[in-house]
Amino acid sequence: MLNIAVLPGDGIGPEIISEAIKVLKAISEKRNIDFNFNYYDVGGIAIDKHSNPLPQSTLDACKNSDAVLFGAIGDPKFDKNPDSSLRPEQGLLKLRKELGLYANLRPVRSYSQLFEFSPLKKDIIENVDMLIVRELTGGLYFGEKKSSKTSASDLCEYSIDEIERITEVAVNYAKIRKGKITLVDKANVLETSRLWRKTVQNISKKHSDINFEYMFVDNAAMQMIINPKQFDVILTENLFGDIISDEASAIAGSIGILCSSSIGKNKGLFEPIHGSYPQAKNKNIANPIAAILSAAMMLEFLNLNEESKIIKKAVNISLQNKISTADLNNDNPSTTSEVGDYISKKIKEENL
């Protein structure tokens, strides 16, 4: 039995996670795999119920589970008091730190069925297939923070060990992909970026089979739009990775289909990148595909590669047949639950 800690979170989190669970149950039925799903609070709802964005019970459950399936966190009501010491996002940041989830993997690919939904031209995005490897537990997000009435600061700090371990992840993926790594940094200005570049350059000497390239983040942001096909594995630090991975949603056509995994030595958390989208809460209109594909990434982490492929094939069928929410099919949109029902049905019925 595989024990999965399910953290639906805030906003549309519970709705999209419900569809991901529906799909996993279809896989369970088709392939005779026993999942045990246990639900816990995190984020804004955890603050409301427990006065803590990451209750100890949630953290303990995640540590004792085989994997974590995560929805989304964030609620506008917490933005009304920016000085509050309790923020939903603190729950996810602490969870990443406590579980040692130092590597965030965000695959970005173009779907021929969705070319029309991208603001970029077809010839620019056709056949794009990249993996963004983002360091997840260091940098500005975790550095010392200071503020006064007239100023504020955030400390960005990285160690060689932190850079080496995330680079090792990028190297391992590059070896099974196209053999190319692009380090995205700001080494012309930032000391941390200079350490990143020096460390990666040293590592590159041990891997002659991999083509290492180096690109400033401002140029990388432009190249992501004008020539995304040049990228295979993008390696970068926490803040830069957060920004450019969201930018990459323009390639896919919708942020509603972009999945991610956050992994450490023996733990993994899997979540869509789109956030809590509070305007769509309880309206049954949010795109569940990112959550469903995140569940597929979870199966890969659990060494259920064939089952992961089945989910991806079913998702492709749904896109081909335009069974999609309004972000991808404004003429005849399906609801969140209808998309999940269709993908689950295809998994059970088709010889995928």
Side-chain angles (χ1 to χ4, degrees):
M1 177 181 291
L2 293 169
N3 291 306
I4 311 299
V6 183
L7 279 57
D10 306 321
I12 61 171
E15 297 167 71
I16 57 169
I17 286 297
S18 177
E19 302 313 309
I21 296 295
K22 188 184 294 181
V23 167
L24 287 171
K25 287 181 176 178
I27 286 288
S28 174
E29 182 179 321
K30 186 181 185 77
R31 305 285 289 192
N32 195 29
I33 298 169
D34 195 4
F35 294 109
N36 180 30
F37 300 109
N38 295 294
Y39 292 75
Y40 303 94
D41 295 324
V42 72
I45 191 171
I47 294 175
D48 290 341
K49 293 170 67 174
H50 310 282
S51 299
N52 187 338
L54 182 65
Q56 189 63 43
S57 57
T58 299
L59 178 58
D60 290 343
C62 292
K63 287 182 176 179
N64 294 319
S65 296
D66 294 298
V68 180
L69 189 60
F70 194 97
I73 55 172
D75 191 304
K77 69 181 182 182
F78 294 98
D79 296 331
K80 296 176 181 178
N81 183 12
D83 295 325
S84 173
S85 60
L86 288 178
R87 299 280 306 176
E89 296 78 11
Q90 292 171 340
L92 180 56
L93 292 176
K94 183 178 180 181
L95 187 58
R96 290 170 178 170
K97 199 75 171 181
E98 290 285 339
L99 296 182
L101 307 177
Y102 62 86
N104 182 233
L105 310 177
R106 296 191 175 188
V108 180
R109 56 166 293 199
S110 59
Y111 293 83
S112 59
Q113 310 95 301
L114 304 181
F115 286 158
E116 63 183 292
F117 297 100
S118 173
L120 305 178
K121 295 178 180 179
K122 174 184 173 182
D123 62 332
I124 291 177
I125 63 173
E126 192 170 21
N127 299 321
V128 167
D129 182 1
M130 72 178 79
L131 177 68
I132 299 173
V133 179
R134 166 191 171 194
E135 200 290 323
L136 201 58
T137 56
L140 281 171
Y141 291 2
F142 290 92
E144 181 184 1
K145 303 180 187 307
K146 297 180 180 179
S147 64
S148 68
K149 291 182 179 180
T150 57
S151 66
S153 67
D154 297 274
L155 177 65
C156 183
E157 187 171 12
Y158 272 107
S159 68
I160 291 176
D161 288 344
E162 287 175 312
I163 299 168
E164 287 179 338
R165 69 180 182 180
I166 190 67
T167 303
E168 181 181 354
V169 173
V171 166
N172 290 338
Y173 276 97
K175 287 180 181 293
I176 61 174
R177 289 174 56 91
K178 302 170 189 172
K180 179 180 178 181
I181 294 175
T182 303
L183 174 65
V184 172
D185 63 24
K186 194 63 177 171
N188 57 335
V189 175
L190 302 177
E191 285 295 335
T192 47
S193 282
R194 293 185 185 113
L195 182 63
W196 269 81
R197 187 166 294 206
K198 180 180 178 180
T199 304
V200 173
Q201 285 175 336
N202 287 336
I203 292 172
S204 71
K205 298 173 184 176
K206 305 173 186 177
H207 300 282
S208 58
D209 55 331
I210 296 177
N211 176 23
F212 284 81
E213 292 187 348
Y214 305 88
M215 191 176 293
F216 295 148
V217 64
D218 42 354
N219 184 32
M222 179 179 68
Q223 295 295 327
M224 184 81 71
I225 298 301
I226 65 175
N227 184 20
K229 293 177 189 177
Q230 68 183 288
F231 297 113
D232 178 25
V233 175
I234 293 178
L235 169 64
T236 192
E237 59 99 61
N238 206 341
L239 175 63
F240 298 159
D242 193 2
I243 295 169
I244 65 172
S245 57
D246 279 12
E247 181 191 14
S249 66
I251 296 168
S254 170
I255 200 170
I257 65 172
L258 294 183
C259 54
S260 77
S261 66
S262 301
I263 59 174
K265 288 186 177 180
N266 49 31
K267 291 294 179 184
L269 180 149
F270 305 85
E271 62 175 318
I273 78 165
H274 51 56
S276 62
Y277 192 13
Q279 301 91 333
K281 180 180 179 181
N282 296 327
K283 293 182 180 179
N284 202 20
I285 61 173
N287 193 337
I289 287 180
I292 291 170
L293 289 176
S294 295
M297 292 187 78
M298 182 183 77
L299 295 185
E300 292 174 1
F301 174 78
L302 297 170
N303 295 315
L304 297 171
N305 295 308
E306 291 304 313
E307 289 75 10
S308 176
K309 289 177 182 177
I310 290 172
I311 291 178
K312 292 176 182 178
K313 288 177 182 178
V315 167
N316 276 331
I317 292 172
S318 74
L319 293 174
Q320 289 169 358
N321 294 329
K322 298 188 182 300
I323 308 300
S324 307
T325 46
D327 55 320
L328 297 176
N329 184 357
N330 202 34
D331 294 329
N332 185 27
S334 301
T335 65
T336 305
S337 54
E338 286 172 344
V339 173
D341 287 341
Y342 183 87
I343 294 172
S344 298
K345 182 180 179 182
K346 289 300 173 184
I347 288 172
K348 294 175 184 178
E349 293 181 354
E350 300 284 331
N351 184 23
L352 300 177

